[in-house]
Amino acid sequence: MLVSVSPSEAQEILAYWSRRFGVPGTMLEGLRFLTRGKTVWAMADLAGVQETLVSFKVEAAGFPLLRKRGGQWKPTTAALLFFEDAIVTNVVELSAGRLDTFLRGEVLPGTFPADRGYVAVRYEGTVLGCALHGEAGLRSQLPRAWVDALLSGRPERGED
């Protein structure tokens, strides 16, 4: 069942988005954060929402915002798409030549202009989702269904 996070947890969530991606706190105003298991959900903060969630035993509401992985926050693709225009730090822009390798789930070697850890990935200015930036390079964290949808919307690449 979903439960509201404590005020201190809400502050931790706000601080994470601001520190990691430069998302201003005003982007999160009016949202209530709920948790179930390792996932934090965000939804409009409406009067009486907690009572409604409890009485109906709601398991998911709003959109998934973050997940705890190995003791650290991992942003969801949905959240990165939601905050797309506000993300100004720890974002990697992929070139056309590296996009297919990334979407296949292969590690993109090299250094990137972002801190180590989870980053937002863009292509042609549009957020695709999340990647993990580590010593070996950049690895996609995109959900398989999202990758399939991205690939199905691309024109066929002909032989050169």
Side-chain angles (χ1 to χ4, degrees), residues 22-104:
V23 174
T26 55
M27 288 283 301
L28 297 141
E29 285 178 3
L31 293 177
R32 174 180 290 256
F33 305 119
L34 307 155
T35 186
R36 179 173 169 254
K38 295 180 179 184
T39 302
V40 173
W41 299 78
M43 65 175 291
D45 191 10
L46 305 170
V49 71
Q50 185 63 45
E51 295 78 16
T52 302
L53 294 171
V54 170
S55 65
F56 288 105
K57 297 179 181 160
V58 175
E59 294 188 18
F63 66 93
L65 185 70
L66 294 166
R67 289 195 176 83
K68 274 283 192 187
R69 287 244 174 112
Q72 65 178 322
W73 291 117
K74 177 194 174 290
T76 66
T77 296
L80 292 171
L81 294 171
F82 181 79
F83 294 127
E84 178 173 27
D85 294 335
I87 296 171
V88 295
T89 60
N90 289 310
V91 59
V92 173
E93 180 77 29
L94 294 179
S95 65
R98 298 188 102 181
L99 180 62
D100 287 337
T101 303
F102 178 78
L103 292 176
R104 284 193 307 268

Side-chain angles (χ1 to χ4, degrees), residues 107-147:
V107 173
L108 294 178
T111 57
F112 297 89
D115 295 337
R116 298 277 171 94
Y118 293 109
V119 299
V121 176
R122 286 189 177 130
Y123 176 69
E124 295 184 348
T126 300
V127 168
L128 299 176
C130 186
L132 183 57
H133 180 220
E135 283 186 37
L138 193 70
R139 178 181 296 277
S140 171
Q141 300 292 297
L142 302 179
R144 186 80 245 154
W146 182 238
V147 171

Side-chain angles (χ1 to χ4, degrees), residues 3-26:
V3 294
S4 292
V5 301
S6 69
S8 64
E9 290 170 315
Q11 286 304 311
E12 181 186 337
I13 291 166
L14 294 171
Y16 170 80
W17 282 100
S18 175
R19 182 181 61 253
R20 185 74 193 163
F21 296 105
V23 174
T26 55

